[in-house]
Amino acid sequence: MSLQEWLAIGLLIGFFMMLIAGVPVGITLAASGFIFGFMGFGESLFNLLPARIYGVVANYQWLAIPLFVFMGVMLEKSRLAEDLLDVIGHLAGGVRGGMALGIIGVGVLMGATTGIVGATVITLGLLTLPTLLRRGYAPEISCGAICASGTLGQIIPPSLVLILLSDIMQLSVGTLFAAAVMPGLMLAALYCAWIVVYGLLRPNSMPPVPRAERDALPRRELWTRVVKVALPPLALVLSVLGSIIAGVAAPTEAASMGALGSILVVALARRLSFKVLRAVMQTTTRISAMVLFILICAQVFSLAFRGLHGERLIENLFELLPGGINADIWFLMALIFVLGFFLEWIEISYIAVPLFLPIFAAAGVDPVWLAMLITVNLQCSFLTPPFGWALFFLRGVTPPEITTRHIYVGVIPFVGLQILGVVLVFTFPALATWLPKAIGW
Amino acid sequence: MSSQAPAGGPLPESPPARASLTAIVAAIERAVDVIGRAASWISLAIVVLMAVDVLLRYTASIGSVWAQELEWHLLAPLVLFGMTYALLKGEHVRVDVFYARYSPRGKAAVDLLASLLAIVIAALVIRYSIAYVNQAYSIDEISSDPGGLTHRWMLKALIPIGFAVFALQAAAQAVSAAIRLSHSSTDAAGDRAR
């Protein structure tokens, strides 16, 4: 191997070491890129850096990030989600495991509004876990359901993961949004099926809401509350998603309508105040800048990796694998799954995916299908113990009687369902490719 | 992974020699906070401008190139000043598997390393981008679309300016991490002496 190839390996190792040591992701990317780039090829390639950075921060497509974050944070800060959960809890009350099913439903809805996994898991955890425990639900299934449904936000459009993947894979955001609808709903259905089965296996782990309490709330009043609380955000989400998927508006345009709509919805609920608006603006600014800062730093890393001929290294690695392109896909899936134990989706999307992309492009693999395999797989990285992001977020808001073990044990069946999801998308590519084709993206 | 706790935090009780350093750090962080709060208005500006533009375009077929360009011109200051605001609030994501279990001294050491690296990175970005901005300035680069915005060099100049502010905040955090580091090491020495 040439010196440069050794340096490319050094780049990856150096990056990984700093990352594990706890240096922020963006700093890690840029620092390792500069250090090994200077050792390998000096300054030449880095003269391209300003143009690359400009391409990140002056980019029409990336406007979708602050807009969708704004919409999500606005709906979250306004505490509309809280009311939503309350109403769904009552609606779902009758069925065994009904509240757990309700949580999956809320996860789908919130995923469609915010697309921010942390926000969804924390909100669900804070608002529903105490209620579930009070109703006699077992801690394991409660925690598992909350973590799993909270992570649906990263696959159900609009989601930051899909927006970033669309850039990395050179696909349109609309195509990926459309492609993710079926796999996202399929995962939600898998979760629901598991909860129903679990309810049959262990009826005592998920008792229904007592009849007397349900009778105390008249049907008519319940439905009025459903209309008042659930309808506005639901209509907002459906109109934003609908206009993107129907091709009426470009995703960035639809995002601006969503952001404006979220202000209106919150104003209609009489919860819009200057304090809320200011908090939303500040959170939006920090989250959007944080994500795009990583993107800026990833430019340094990718310049260095390219300059050190890292692609050739990866190609050689794949040539060692027997069994053609399907084996390559499963190798990538296994790699992402294993990386998911240690890294989060941002690093995996920026490091692992671009490294392997040329191989699959050369082999003519459908990029939309591949993107969905990656997205479903990436969701595992939120859930896999011991380092899953969703688990940390939930741990931060659980009452003291919940142990880390409850969360780990509870989430394992859902990781299994997630792997089943990857297998299903692999076996039936139409799950991912049908909708984008049907609407002509 | 998670975001770290606000990186500055209350600084340890410091002898007079450190007091002036602490005061400088506090002044920088106040300034960055003001810049960040100001920049956060851009997010609302983007929402309003974009929504009005889209509504006018779809309902009245009124569209203008400059409005559309202004939208993504606004993204640059949002990101380039927002990234320092996020740094101040400790919201840049990191893998905290081990970090969360470090001693205060270990955390201070990693924070110091990260801050120093951030300064170097910012300095390099500034170094490369000056020529880039100069070039845009010397040819008086404007939008390639008719009716687009002029003075493109001002937009590009936000890159070195944004990273200069970033370096300043990183320097403030390096100082406070160094103070925490030396403080905890004198503590440890004191413990041993006892």
Side-chain angles (χ1 to χ4, degrees):
Chain A
M1 283 206 307
S2 69
L3 172 67
Q4 294 218 323
E5 283 177 354
W6 281 110
L7 283 172
I9 294 175
L11 172 66
L12 292 173
I13 294 174
F15 165 75
F16 199 73
M17 303 272 286
M18 272 192 269
L19 196 63
I20 290 296
V23 177
V25 179
I27 306 288
T28 311
L29 279 166
S32 54
F34 274 132
I35 293 170
F36 289 94
F38 281 136
M39 282 171 17
F41 54 80
E43 297 209 86
S44 51
L45 266 179
F46 289 130
N47 288 318
L48 296 173
L49 190 59
R52 290 274 201 114
I53 294 176
Y54 179 77
V56 172
V57 298
N59 184 322
Y60 186 76
Q61 186 187 311
W62 291 136
L63 273 173
I65 290 183
L67 292 168
F68 277 130
V69 170
F70 188 98
M71 167 174 153
V73 176
M74 181 57 103
L75 287 177
E76 189 220 333
K77 286 252 189 267
S78 64
R79 298 175 52 195
L80 277 168
E82 205 173 316
D83 295 348
L84 200 66
L85 289 169
D86 187 48
V87 165
I88 292 186
H90 259 97
L91 269 184
V95 197
R96 191 166 287 278
M99 290 190 72
L101 293 177
I103 285 177
I104 305 293
V106 174
V108 171
L109 270 183
M110 289 190 62
T113 51
T114 67
I116 306 168
V117 169
T120 313
V121 172
I122 288 173
T123 315
L124 282 175
L126 274 176
L127 302 176
T128 64
L129 192 55
T131 318
L132 287 177
L133 296 176
R134 203 175 60 236
R135 301 276 189 204
Y137 273 56
E140 292 87 357
I141 187 75
S142 311
C143 294
I146 289 172
C147 287
S149 66
T151 52
L152 282 174
Q154 70 99 38
I155 182 159
I156 291 178
S159 89
L160 291 185
V161 178
L162 294 174
I163 297 177
L164 293 193
L165 263 187
S166 74
D167 177 68
I168 293 167
M169 305 189 72
Q170 306 285 307
L171 295 164
S172 90
V173 180
T175 308
L176 279 196
F177 277 10
V181 171
M182 300 277 287
L185 293 178
M186 174 194 77
L187 285 174
L190 286 177
Y191 298 162
C192 290
W194 165 247
I195 287 171
V196 170
V197 169
Y198 195 83
L200 293 174
L201 292 176
R202 304 225 181 124
N204 293 331
S205 64
M206 295 187 291
V209 174
R211 174 145 212 116
E213 197 190 320
R214 273 180 283 136
D215 290 343
L217 187 72
R219 262 347 220 181
R220 174 183 286 263
E221 198 192 319
L222 178 60
W223 285 109
T224 327
R225 276 168 67 182
V226 169
V227 171
K228 256 171 83 177
V229 170
L231 216 56
L234 198 62
L236 179 65
V237 170
L238 290 182
S239 57
V240 169
L241 286 189
S243 60
I244 295 172
I245 291 174
V248 175
T252 314
E253 294 171 350
S256 75
M257 291 294 103
L260 183 71
S262 71
I263 300 178
L264 293 180
V265 165
V266 174
L268 283 177
R270 289 164 204 250
R271 291 214 171 120
L272 188 66
S273 65
F274 182 63
K275 207 175 136 202
V276 167
L277 182 65
R278 204 173 48 191
V280 170
M281 291 187 320
Q282 290 174 0
T283 310
T284 303
T285 303
R286 292 198 301 264
I287 293 179
S288 316
M290 186 270 287
V291 172
L292 285 164
F293 176 72
I294 295 175
L295 242 152
I296 290 173
C297 294
Q299 305 303 317
V300 183
F301 188 90
S302 84
L303 277 176
F305 194 74
R306 209 158 283 176
L308 296 170
H309 306 295
E311 279 103 339
R312 206 186 305 149
L313 205 68
I314 301 292
E315 276 167 34
N316 295 342
L317 182 68
F318 270 87
E319 274 166 19
L320 294 175
L321 281 178
I325 199 70
N326 278 354
D328 291 349
I329 290 179
W330 282 109
F331 175 72
L332 177 64
M333 290 299 114
L335 187 76
I336 291 178
F337 185 78
V338 173
L339 284 178
F341 281 96
F342 309 100
L343 307 181
E344 292 306 338
W345 67 271
I346 298 184
E347 296 100 76
I348 297 176
S349 314
Y350 280 122
I351 310 306
V353 176
L355 298 188
F356 298 103
L357 217 48
I359 314 273
F360 294 111
V365 174
D366 184 343
V368 175
W369 176 56
L370 185 64
M372 282 310 111
L373 286 172
I374 293 171
T375 312
V376 176
N377 200 342
L378 271 181
Q379 205 178 335
C380 297
S381 73
F382 286 100
L383 293 175
T384 40
F387 309 141
W389 210 344
L391 313 179
F392 285 129
F393 281 132
L394 183 61
R395 189 77 199 95
V397 297
T398 47
E401 68 262 30
I402 297 287
T403 63
T404 306
R405 198 183 155 274
H406 284 139
I407 300 179
Y408 284 2
V409 170
V411 86
I412 287 170
F414 289 94
V415 173
L417 293 176
Q418 210 67 39
I419 297 172
L420 179 62
V422 176
V423 173
L424 285 175
V425 175
F426 183 83
T427 321
F428 307 104
L431 277 171
T433 55
W434 175 75
L435 190 58
K437 274 192 195 129
I439 57 174
W441 268 90
Chain B
M1 163 156 331
S2 77
S3 355
Q4 72 192 97
L11 289 167
E13 301 268 327
S14 39
R18 283 179 190 156
S20 57
L21 267 184
T22 318
I24 295 173
V25 167
I28 292 176
E29 299 201 326
R30 266 198 309 277
V32 167
D33 195 45
V34 170
I35 294 174
R37 284 159 173 270
S40 73
W41 284 94
I42 299 172
S43 66
L44 185 64
I46 291 176
V47 171
V48 173
L49 182 68
M50 182 104 195
V52 171
D53 179 36
V54 170
L55 284 176
L56 285 180
R57 195 139 28 92
Y58 278 87
T59 57
S61 302
I62 303 171
S64 54
V65 176
W66 68 262
Q68 225 168 349
E69 288 202 343
L70 186 57
E71 287 153 16
W72 57 258
H73 275 59
L74 285 174
L75 184 64
L78 183 78
V79 174
L80 291 168
F81 294 118
M83 67 188 187
T84 310
Y85 191 34
L87 183 67
L88 171 74
K89 300 284 178 182
E91 288 186 359
H92 284 283
V93 288
R94 64 170 70 202
V95 175
D96 69 350
V97 183
F98 299 108
Y99 184 85
R101 292 181 207 157
Y102 292 160
S103 63
R105 195 172 148 70
K107 278 188 182 143
V110 172
D111 289 347
L112 181 62
L113 172 70
S115 307
L116 293 177
L117 287 174
I119 296 170
V120 175
I121 291 163
L124 286 169
V125 171
I126 294 169
R127 175 183 145 84
Y128 295 123
S129 55
I130 297 263
Y132 183 68
V133 178
N134 271 339
Q135 196 195 3
Y137 180 73
S138 63
I139 61 168
D140 195 16
E141 185 184 355
I142 60 164
S143 169
S144 52
D145 290 318
L149 298 176
T150 56
H151 297 83
R152 176 75 40 103
W153 66 271
M154 286 166 77
L155 177 63
K156 292 185 170 175
L158 287 173
I159 297 174
I161 295 171
F163 272 91
V165 180
F166 189 79
L168 197 62
Q169 172 61 25
Q173 291 187 357
V175 170
S176 66
I179 291 177
R180 272 186 288 146
L181 193 62
S182 67
H183 196 264
S184 56
S185 64
T186 47
D187 273 2
D191 286 346
R192 271 197 301 276
R194 252 175 263 133

